[in-house]
Amino acid sequence: MFCTRKVNDQVIWVGASDRRLAKFENLFPVPRGVSYNSYLILDDKTALMDTVDADVADRFLENVAATLDARALDYIVVQHMEPDHAATLARVLERYPDAQVVCNAKTLDMIGRFFPSLQLRSPMIVKDGDTLALGERTLQFVFAPMVHWPEVMVSYERKDKILFSADAFGSFGAIDGALFDDEADFDMEWKDDARRYYVNIVGKYGAPVQTLLKKAAGLDIRTICPLHGLVWRKDLAKIVELYRKWSSYEPEERGVLIAYASMYGNTQNLAELLACRLADRGVRALRVCDISVTDMSELTAHAFRYSHMILLSPTYNGELYPQMETFLSDLRRLALRARTVALCDNGAWAATAAKQMRTQLETFKDFRILDAQIGIRSALRADDLSAVQALVDQIVESME
Ligand code: FEO
């Protein structure tokens, strides 16, 4: 049965949620599922804003048919042709063969690469700033390359002042009926997934996101309709401010991510001792993560969230513990910058993990690596406590 929500009487959400997908992009766990948003505009002309992933195609096609209610589909606007939004394009065109695809030249080229058997009849190729009149409503296309792929554009609808924002301002998480930000508790239920989505999907592309934010600042936007997650119609400033921080690599809060690897529990002992001593000193934003069991997408999101990190790694076959190597490599890939880091290592012999982490992190932009460092030799001993105290002192001083 079709299942839609009204953004307003003429703009209808016709998307669907996948609650069975294990990993988005086959990389990022989505235990709360993920929504693929699509919107149908009903004016003198009808326009479908993107399609959806193949896994939810049947429900989506029901939604479109019920919303059109026997009207013709005039346009399909392809803002972003990644298959989570374009995989159903062919099925839509089978049902509505007279619909005209509206996209830019790069999108058209990429559609040909991903879907070589799909022949588009007379697509409308638009340029940055072009408009499409639908009746009372007019779409204005704003190119947003690398948010998240090079062909991405967003669309501003002038009458209702809606920004159809493609991947920007989206989130992991299925829609639990509540589609709008004022119907859901974003801070409690969505923020962590919105951050994890941002960091891992577009985190690397801070500068293009900032460019889009500047373009958006010149538009009078009352509603943001992204391709994933909540529709924003009340507290738009909240998600825009988060995007400003995330895209400028500014931490959300002064706090410490303590990320450790521990083979036998001794490095964990040090991680927890550091957390307790920092809490004693009044640090309230603390997160201790075992990197062997915490998903990398979550660790990277924590790294974007907090101002500080303490990284603890055993030396393993003369190298870093493998998951720590992966974590550092992910942070480099996502271009994280401007964090304060303290290092600890463990090794029964030839411990070099802290030195290796320092060498890597010295190449990260605007990272401050504290001098205080702890090296334990298998288990913590009483004579390690002065080093623990010194490291805690440096962390606290650096937060002032
Ligand atoms: Fe949701 Fe870049 O696709």
Side-chain angles (χ1 to χ4, degrees):
M1 177 58 69
F2 75 93
C3 177
T4 60
R5 296 281 325 261
K6 283 185 176 180
V7 176
N8 63 39
D9 283 345
Q10 271 77 48
V11 179
I12 316 297
W13 176 82
V14 291
S17 292
D18 188 341
R19 297 170 188 274
R20 296 190 294 180
L21 183 71
K23 291 187 175 184
F24 187 81
E25 293 186 352
N26 220 3
L27 272 175
F28 310 116
V30 281
R32 291 178 59 243
V34 63
S35 76
Y36 303 105
N37 297 342
S38 169
Y39 307 89
L40 189 51
I41 303 173
L42 305 171
D43 207 308
D44 294 344
K45 298 287 187 181
T46 59
L48 182 64
M49 305 304 291
D50 292 293
T51 69
V52 296
D53 189 84
D55 286 347
V56 295
D58 290 344
R59 179 60 24 77
F60 163 71
L61 290 168
E62 276 186 303
N63 289 346
V64 171
T67 304
L68 282 171
D69 193 19
R71 284 191 66 180
L73 178 61
D74 296 303
Y75 300 113
I76 306 167
V77 178
V78 182
Q79 302 184 108
H80 180 22
M81 66 69 47
E82 190 168 7
D84 57 326
H85 308 295
T88 311
L89 181 58
R91 287 187 64 185
V92 175
L93 285 167
E94 272 170 28
R95 287 196 179 201
Y96 307 98
D98 295 329
Q100 186 176 22
V101 168
V102 179
C103 66
N104 60 48
K106 210 167 262 178
T107 303
L108 184 66
D109 177 58
M110 293 173 82
I111 288 173
R113 292 169 197 275
F114 266 85
F115 311 113
S117 61
L118 179 58
Q119 299 295 319
L120 300 183
R121 285 189 306 179
S122 308
M124 182 189 298
I125 305 302
V126 298
K127 298 190 183 65
D128 192 15
D130 279 359
T131 57
L132 174 64
L134 302 174
E136 288 188 332
R137 290 167 183 75
T138 299
L139 291 170
Q140 177 185 339
F141 303 110
V142 178
F143 284 18
M146 301 320 297
V147 186
H148 142 234
W149 279 15
E151 89 296 1
V152 169
M153 62 183 190
V154 301
S155 310
Y156 177 64
E157 197 289 296
R158 291 173 172 173
K159 176 179 181 295
D160 298 325
K161 305 186 190 313
I162 296 174
L163 182 70
F164 296 95
S165 63
D167 273 343
F169 309 113
S171 178
F172 296 137
I175 298 298
D176 294 339
L179 176 66
F180 301 96
D181 68 307
D182 52 289
E183 297 176 333
D185 187 336
F186 176 77
D187 289 341
M188 286 293 291
E189 295 165 3
W190 283 89
K191 193 174 179 182
D192 286 347
D193 262 341
R195 182 190 305 106
R196 192 165 64 88
Y197 166 90
Y198 173 85
V199 167
N200 290 283
I201 303 300
V202 282
K204 178 182 173 70
Y205 304 111
V209 172
Q210 295 252 307
T211 301
L212 175 59
L213 289 175
K214 283 195 191 93
K215 288 182 178 180
L219 300 169
D220 179 9
I221 298 168
R222 305 291 168 85
T223 305
I224 298 175
C225 289
L227 290 177
H228 303 282
L230 295 177
V231 169
W232 291 83
R233 67 181 180 189
K234 185 163 184 251
D235 197 359
L236 281 65
K238 175 180 280 191
I239 192 69
V240 170
E241 171 61 10
L242 283 171
Y243 264 63
R244 186 196 66 73
K245 281 191 173 168
W246 293 336
S247 61
S248 61
Y249 303 95
E250 183 183 317
E252 273 173 62
E253 56 190 313
R254 299 190 78 71
V256 187
L257 165 64
I258 301 176
Y260 73 90
S262 188
M263 296 164 68
Y264 305 111
N266 293 307
T267 313
Q268 177 184 339
N269 183 200
L270 174 58
E272 288 170 344
L273 181 64
L274 286 164
C276 288
R277 294 292 81 83
L278 285 165
D280 283 344
R281 297 288 295 275
V283 179
R284 290 292 169 260
L286 286 166
R287 180 78 64 145
V288 178
C289 292
D290 178 349
I291 65 169
S292 293
V293 296
T294 310
D295 190 79
M296 280 298 153
S297 67
E298 201 173 313
L299 287 169
T300 51
H302 291 323
F304 269 64
R305 175 176 179 174
Y306 297 113
S307 56
H308 288 62
M309 287 188 280
I310 304 176
L311 304 179
L312 307 90
S313 175
T315 304
Y316 193 85
N317 287 340
E319 300 187 33
L320 289 185
Y321 199 76
Q323 279 82 354
M324 186 60 78
E325 190 75 56
T326 304
F327 182 39
L328 294 184
S329 146
D330 275 7
L331 293 181
R332 182 186 306 103
R333 179 176 59 77
L334 295 171
L336 181 65
R337 65 183 73 152
R339 294 295 184 273
T340 301
V341 187
L343 302 170
C344 307
D345 67 8
N346 192 355
W349 71 96
T352 59
K355 184 164 177 244
Q356 293 183 54
M357 288 190 284
R358 185 174 292 271
T359 301
Q360 288 198 37
L361 291 166
E362 279 170 352
T363 67
F364 283 43
K365 191 169 166 50
D366 299 331
F367 263 54
R368 178 182 175 199
I369 307 164
L370 298 177
D371 295 332
Q373 185 171 302
I374 304 170
I376 59 172
R377 299 295 163 255
S378 301
L380 260 176
R381 296 195 308 256
D383 57 9
D384 291 318
L385 295 181
S386 58
V388 170
Q389 185 64 46
L391 190 146
V392 168
D393 285 346
Q394 274 206 4
I395 292 270
V396 171
E397 281 163 19
S398 71
M399 296 181 104
E400 288 166 0

